[in-house]
Amino acid sequence: MIDLSVRIPTLLRNPVMTASGTFGYGLEFRPYGNLTSLGGIIVKGLSLKPRSGNPLPRIAETASGMLNAVGLQNDGAEYFLKKTLPRLPWKELPVFANIYATDAAEFGELASVLSSAEGLAGLEINISCPNVHSGGVLFGQNPHMAAEVTEAVKKYSGNLPVIVKLTPNVTDIASIARAVEDAGADAVSCINTLSGMAIDLERRRPRLANIIGGLSGPAIKPVALRCVWQVCQAVKIPVIGVGGIVSARDVLEFILAGASAVCVGTANLMRPDAAFRIAAELPSLCEQLGIQDLNAFRGSLQVA
């Protein structure tokens, strides 16, 4: 059997993880598969205080994808640590916390709260959120702000590895990746959702109450692959591929482009057993394609 384990730098038994915001806290998906069969899970975004999220409707189906403007609804970091994390099989499965804040200081404070928690394998920073002190500019759209947030989290994260989730809503994603790498990020994940909107023609209104939402699903896979390939050329730290993954073949395409691991996202909302099925199918697909060493296969895309 092929060894599918990878380091990001946390050791994963296989490269199939779940994307934040698409797998709840993990507990909700226990009826559909064995959580420990996955490489790891990234729980839905956490803030210092509980958030109720955006008004309804906040999800709309699109061609080959979906739009969401959930608004980072969550129970807050303290509740997660006391009530949710202890119920997850964290001794057998790496559990990562995705974190959200509105300024660098708040990111640092949130990292400090989570850093001493038993059971967390790492932190993923959501920099696709607005900096309230800069007029709502997304942290991830400015290399300086992205680096500032990364430094703040690294300062208070203790021994936890820090992953920075990059937004595709920029001109040059590689420059953002280099900035967070220089600021101490241990890995990057790309991509977060693309900005989009949908219109109800009969009602002559936006389909989302928030008007604009994040586009995800198979429709964005070509963009995600391009971003992963560009970022892998720009940084030395591990890259986690996210965007439109619905099959084991998709996983291998991202790894061929240079990704160390991947996150399954919207597919979980289409089929709640999707991530488990993809992880289970990966070994046989590798055998079928003659892939004997995942590390040798990674980044071997022939572009010349």
Side-chain angles (χ1 to χ4, degrees):
M1 293 291 290
I2 182 175
D3 180 7
L4 295 178
S5 62
V6 296
R7 285 191 176 274
I8 59 165
T10 305
L11 180 64
L12 312 179
R13 63 166 44 87
N14 66 62
V16 181
M17 305 171 69
T18 59
S20 175
T22 66
F23 206 70
Y25 295 112
L27 299 173
E28 300 91 328
F29 283 76
R30 288 182 300 181
Y32 306 104
N34 181 359
L35 292 177
T36 62
S37 69
L38 302 172
I41 63 173
I42 304 179
V43 304
K44 66 186 302 180
L46 297 172
S47 51
L48 274 174
K49 303 296 181 182
R51 287 177 55 89
S52 57
N54 290 328
L56 300 173
R58 51 191 188 183
I59 293 179
E61 188 174 356
T62 65
S64 298
M66 62 173 282
L67 283 166
N68 94 84
V70 173
L72 295 159
Q73 176 182 344
N74 74 98
D75 297 325
E78 291 289 353
Y79 184 94
F80 170 75
L81 293 178
K82 292 179 181 178
K83 302 293 185 179
T84 307
L85 183 58
R87 297 167 60 198
L88 288 167
W90 53 265
K91 290 184 179 180
E92 306 165 79
L93 172 76
V95 176
F96 299 83
N98 177 282
I99 61 175
Y100 156 84
T102 57
D103 58 49
E106 187 180 350
F107 267 110
E109 184 179 358
L110 183 51
S112 179
V113 169
L114 296 169
S115 64
S116 59
E118 184 179 29
L120 278 182
L123 303 177
E124 181 184 60
I125 311 174
N126 177 8
I127 59 172
S128 300
C129 49
N131 182 342
V132 295
H133 297 316
S134 296
V137 175
L138 300 187
F139 290 102
Q141 292 178 334
N142 180 290
H144 174 75
M145 287 196 296
E148 184 181 18
V149 167
T150 304
E151 290 173 352
V153 173
K154 284 293 292 184
K155 182 177 180 180
Y156 295 102
S157 61
N159 295 323
L160 293 179
V162 172
I163 304 165
V164 180
K165 190 168 190 176
L166 305 179
T167 174
N169 301 307
V170 293
T171 303
D172 181 10
I173 194 171
S175 66
I176 308 295
R178 284 191 293 266
V180 300
E181 179 183 42
D182 291 343
D186 298 289
V188 293
S189 56
C190 57
I191 54 176
N192 210 325
T193 56
L194 282 76
S195 293
M197 66 181 291
I199 290 175
D200 185 324
L201 186 59
E202 283 70 29
R203 295 175 58 243
R204 302 188 184 186
R205 297 185 60 84
R207 291 190 179 274
L208 298 177
N210 196 61
I211 303 176
I212 294 174
L215 177 65
S216 63
I220 74 166
K221 180 188 161 192
V223 178
L225 279 170
R226 183 265 298 175
C227 289
V228 165
W229 184 78
Q230 288 180 325
V231 169
C232 287
Q233 310 306 304
V235 301
K236 294 182 173 61
I237 55 179
V239 175
I240 301 166
V242 194
I245 296 169
V246 298
S247 69
R249 294 189 71 90
D250 291 333
V251 173
L252 292 180
E253 287 183 24
F254 275 90
I255 294 175
L256 185 59
S260 293
V262 302
C263 287
V264 179
T266 300
N268 296 313
L269 306 179
M270 297 160 55
R271 284 188 52 164
D273 66 340
F276 305 109
R277 174 177 51 82
I278 292 169
E281 292 174 355
L282 190 58
S284 60
L285 180 59
C286 287
E287 182 179 0
Q288 176 186 330
L289 295 175
I291 301 170
Q292 299 178 338
D293 185 339
L294 208 57
N295 289 318
F297 175 75
R298 180 176 297 108
S300 62
L301 182 67
Q302 300 177 31
V303 295

